[in-house]
Amino acid sequence: MTTIANNLQLVRVRINRACEAAGRDPRDVLLLAVSKTFDAEAVAEAAAAGQRAFGENYIQEGVEKILAIRELPGPLASDLQWHCIGPIQSNKTRLVAEHFDWVHTVDRLKIAERLSSQRPAHLPPLQVCIQVNMDGGATKSGVPPQEAMALVEAVAQLPRIRVRGLMSIPDVAPDFSAQLAVHQATRQLFDRIAAAGLAGLQEFDTLSMGMTADLDAAIQAGSTLVRVGTGIFGVRTRPVP
């Protein structure tokens, strides 16, 4: 068994244990392998071990990797799902709209409008999460919690886009209780939006919360998707772009 395959197995065991502690079904939590700065061969290795969903923070790097994977022999590329989990500038929306399946980091209507207009007609609707700055970090992306429902409602009206839920990246918390508190706040906001009966929310079912350090607390709070990078691929050997 390769290192990546072994790491994947360990992460899945951790997810299963966290779900058991939370009284949840592990099948309700998707593992997103964050492959930023790792090459297409590492993605292929993870895919060979059964991983299908991959997250990329850097758009140009992610697109190059997607295209490289498509050149590999066999049906591998068609089975993979690609998630954009990094900040999106206006000049990169077309790349995202044309190559990714999911976007987790929509926090402005302008970006959503560009993604909507640039999504190719032959592709399924782009699956979108609204990023929320739940703990108020001054340097972080994300819509303030009090503005999230209005943004969800506006984005849900756009064609070629389907709003699926919320995403958050809270600051590092000192312990499990602190991690749990901020994730629970995001879950409560998610529940309020889901209960509001907003037009256009056909499948509002995704809470993208939790990374390697805090996935246990995120799952306890109700996360349906955890984003794990170093826990799968190891320590990055080259600097981020």
Side-chain angles (χ1 to χ4, degrees):
M1 182 181 294
T2 67
T3 299
I4 288 176
N6 183 65
N7 288 347
L8 272 168
Q9 184 176 28
L10 292 174
V11 171
R12 289 169 182 150
V13 168
R14 184 179 170 191
I15 290 172
N16 288 346
R17 289 175 176 168
C19 287
E20 181 179 0
R24 299 182 58 196
D25 188 334
R27 292 174 294 184
D28 294 335
V29 180
L30 176 70
L31 172 60
L32 186 66
V34 179
S35 45
K36 67 178 180 182
T37 78
F38 290 91
D39 57 22
E41 286 71 22
V43 171
E45 191 173 329
Q51 180 64 26
R52 290 296 176 265
F54 292 88
E56 290 288 331
N57 292 67
Y58 308 111
I59 294 167
Q60 187 65 50
E61 177 196 335
V63 169
E64 291 171 1
K65 206 172 300 181
I66 292 168
L67 295 176
I69 289 289
R70 287 177 183 167
E71 296 300 318
L72 296 177
L76 174 66
S78 62
D79 291 341
L80 301 188
Q81 188 181 83
W82 293 94
H83 297 237
C84 176
I85 59 172
I88 304 173
Q89 298 175 331
S90 294
N91 64 349
K92 296 293 179 63
T93 54
R94 185 174 297 278
L95 284 174
V96 175
E98 291 179 347
H99 295 283
F100 284 87
D101 304 298
W102 281 70
V103 179
H104 292 225
T105 50
V106 171
D107 61 0
R108 290 169 288 157
L109 182 58
K110 175 185 176 182
I111 294 298
E113 289 172 338
R114 291 179 64 88
L115 292 170
S116 173
S117 66
Q118 294 167 349
R119 182 68 168 175
H122 70 278
L123 294 178
L126 189 61
Q127 311 298 299
V128 165
C129 289
I130 302 299
Q131 183 175 358
V132 181
N133 186 357
M134 182 55 66
D135 57 353
T139 62
K140 291 191 305 184
S141 301
V143 62
Q146 64 271 21
E147 299 175 15
M149 188 175 302
L151 182 58
V152 167
E153 185 172 25
V155 175
Q157 306 311 307
L158 298 173
R160 313 296 303 142
I161 279 183
R162 182 166 297 161
V163 181
R164 294 294 297 272
L166 302 181
M167 180 266 218
S168 67
I169 311 176
D171 287 337
V172 176
D175 53 39
F176 181 88
S177 295
Q179 294 170 356
L180 182 61
V182 68
H183 287 316
Q184 285 177 328
T186 306
R187 169 62 187 272
Q188 290 163 5
L189 175 61
F190 173 89
D191 288 343
R192 290 197 298 272
I193 295 173
L198 302 179
L201 289 189
Q202 300 167 323
E203 293 180 86
F204 195 74
D205 57 4
T206 301
L207 263 173
S208 174
M209 303 189 304
M211 298 184 287
T212 301
D214 64 344
L215 71 83
D216 303 88
I219 288 172
Q220 180 71 38
S223 176
T224 66
L225 185 153
V226 292
R227 310 177 302 268
V228 178
T230 56
I232 295 171
F233 296 102
V235 179
R236 297 181 183 92
T237 56
R238 63 182 175 88
V240 298

